[in-house]
Structures are given as structure tokens and as C-alpha cells.
Amino acid sequence: EEHLVESGGGSVQPGGSLRLSCEASGFTFRTHTMMWLRQAPGKEIEWVSVINDGGGTTYYADSVKGRFTISRDNAKNTLYLQLNNLKTEDTAMYFCAKARRTTVPAIGAPDLDDFRSRGQGTQVTVSS
């Protein structure tokens, strides 16, 4: 059975940093494109960043470009998201997700239907 378990969320002040982790199990992590998504209260879920299976190709939503960094350690079956210079509008539940097929690439306009397998999320709250 596939499992994705996020951790690392918390409450920080604007300008602060957090590092999210997502531990994967139950599937061959190194062969799947992975994604981070987030959902703020009352808003639709949105993609934040995507990374290909080897980690060499990444894309970011415009709202986080230059502030967030996605990475992965295939030896540890773990996906990461470094969040820097956090803003109040970054407050959301953050989820990691796996591509539903190994052939799903990392692209700049990903189809969220390809990333339905998600963890339970970790809460990030940015406030002063």
C-alpha cells in the first residue's frame, strides 16, 4: 500500500523559513515525478512545485518562485520543500503527491488529476 507522510510544518513569522519533508513508501519512489500542493482555507488546492524522478527538472508556481526549493533524496525515499521568506499568503495545508504513472513528466503546467495520490498534509501558518 502506498503511503506519503508529510512533516515539518509549523507556525512562523513573515520572513521565516521551514523545511517540509515527505516520506514515501509502498511504491518505487525513484521512478515517479513528485509534487507539492497546498490548500488555504476556503480556497481550491493549487500546485506549488513539481520535480521529475531524477531530481534534475523542477518547476514552481509563480507565487513561490525564488522563495521555495523542491528537492528529493531517492536513496531515502523522501521529498523536500524548503520554504524561505514566508509570507502570510503562504498559510495553507501542504501536501505531497506522487504521479499516477511513471510516464508523467515534470512540466510547468501540471495536470492535478495526475497527482491524486496525496498524503494527509502538514500545516504551515505564517503570521506576525
Side-chain angles (χ1 to χ4, degrees):
E1 186 178 355
E2 298 177 354
H3 285 286
L4 296 167
V5 180
E6 302 92 337
S7 61
S11 295
V12 297
Q13 294 184 339
S17 297
L18 287 171
R19 189 192 195 201
L20 308 184
S21 298
C22 170
E23 295 185 12
S25 62
F27 66 100
T28 307
F29 179 76
R30 67 180 184 276
T31 62
H32 285 75
T33 293
M34 298 293 294
M35 175 184 284
W36 284 99
L37 310 95
R38 67 185 181 184
Q39 187 167 26
K43 295 187 176 181
E44 292 187 358
I45 197 164
E46 62 176 352
W47 78 281
V48 173
S49 184
V50 63
I51 187 168
N52 74 330
D53 53 358
T57 300
T58 59
Y59 290 95
Y60 298 90
D62 288 343
S63 58
V64 307
K65 201 172 295 183
R67 300 187 298 119
F68 292 6
T69 303
I70 191 171
S71 62
R72 64 191 295 162
D73 186 335
N74 286 344
K76 296 182 178 180
N77 290 347
T78 303
L79 177 72
Y80 302 100
L81 187 68
Q82 178 68 40
L83 291 66
N84 294 331
N85 191 20
L86 282 160
K87 304 177 180 181
T88 55
E89 52 264 41
D90 294 319
T91 295
M93 185 72 77
Y94 284 71
F95 303 88
C96 66
K98 66 174 284 288
R100 60 179 174 179
R101 295 183 299 272
T102 59
T103 53
V104 174
I107 59 176
D111 184 348
L112 296 192
D113 283 344
D114 284 332
F115 295 89
R116 292 179 180 174
S117 182
R118 303 166 185 169
Q120 83 290 346
T122 186
Q123 178 68 38
V124 172
T125 302
V126 186
S127 68
S128 55

